[in-house]
Amino acid sequence: MKKNIHGLSTPVKKTVVERIAQKDDVSKAELLAEFSFTSSSLTRLLEELISEGWIIESGLGQSTGGRKPILYRINPTHRYIFGIEISRIHSTIGLFDLKMNALEYRQWPMDETMTPQLLVNYVHEQMEGMKKRNGISRDKIAGIGIGAVGPLDRETGVILNPLYFPANGWTNVKLCQLIEEKTGVTALLDNGANTALMGEHWAYRQEKIQHMLYIHVGTGLRSAMMSGGQLVYGAVDMEGSIGQMVIQIDGPRLDGTGNYGALEAFASVQAMERQARFQIKMGRIQLREAENLDPELVHFPLLVKALHRGDPYMKELFLQSATYLGIGLGNLINILHPEKVILGGAMVNANDSYFDMAVATAQKNIYYASEYQPVFTRGIFQEHAVAVGAAVLVLKQISI
């Protein structure tokens, strides 16, 4: 194990820095209560971290009878981290300091032209622009975190065979290798649902929540679970498995794949588009936004526009989808019993009533409702949660 000049292991230094980063201000006494250090060893470690620039003294705390204690906090500008979200609808890159404050965000559509190589080139271009605009040198960049649509191999940094990408070429993509070769910066990869949960857990870190559930409702359904404050990983990396939860035995399935009657066939962008197109073809509904359009060209943004206009059929369609989501959500809650449930994604963000109906339906189906009610929220970071969490992923593995 690598040692620093005072004999303390580098992993220990990293753990202490991460702990200080999670606090706004922390005293030496608070750190001693959490770590198995002698007072002199911790003093040497704090002095070393200050000299290296990782932490700074931030003032004096409240006295408990003696001298006021020195407070420490992370030095947010010592390093910077890029966080990237790659989804089927759009992708985002953010630049963050060590307190996860966002300096910039850039978002772009994932259309049929956005191949892996084009995305890598675009990411590099955006990184260079952000560094220049914020006066950040290359040696200040600690790493790049990526939250992407799965399935994927986290260890090798490869996106495997995701469904429904508009562009070709998104099969067995060595994404981390491509980005590292282009940018010269180390990249880490995880599922977008996992990094979204990391980001939101960071936002709620002062609440010390141990059990959280995150559901992303977009082109597909993705989920992530945290237990004991740690992400739960299964034997295989399949974040979209929630979409295959059967909620109607004789129900439909999407595009001839997956389970019949699966949740994704009722509560997803694809399901919404499919049902609206079918109703338009049958002449049962007319949408002002879709006039003179081939029904197959009717996509989700048009449906959201009609919903915001107050189209009664769109209201009904979205509320029906939210009800199905609530049923599936109730099933998960009865198994996992999270303290906090976060809902995100294009469907949830389309309209407040979608979130409200999904939550109300889930609450009605919680078995121990009289003794147990989780907190439902759309989160703090919401649409940026994946990118923020990707940056947190790097922070947790940062080299010190």
Side-chain angles (χ1 to χ4, degrees), residues 220-253:
L221 276 76
R222 298 183 279 161
S223 64
M225 176 66 189
M226 183 172 285
S227 181
Q230 300 296 320
L231 279 172
V232 176
Y233 289 101
V236 293
D237 200 60
M238 298 292 288
E239 65 172 358
S241 298
I242 180 182
Q244 293 306 309
M245 177 192 299
V246 176
I247 60 171
Q248 188 179 104
I249 294 175
D250 58 349
R253 62 177 179 167

Side-chain angles (χ1 to χ4, degrees), residues 13 18 51 91 113 119 127 132 142 188 209 220 285 298 330 343 358 378-379 384 388 390:
K13 291 177 65 177
E18 182 184 341
S51 68
S91 289
T113 69
L119 180 136
M127 286 176 58
K132 183 176 181 180
L188 301 175
I209 298 170
I285 64 169
V298 174
L343 302 180
R378 279 187 281 195
H384 295 310
V388 176

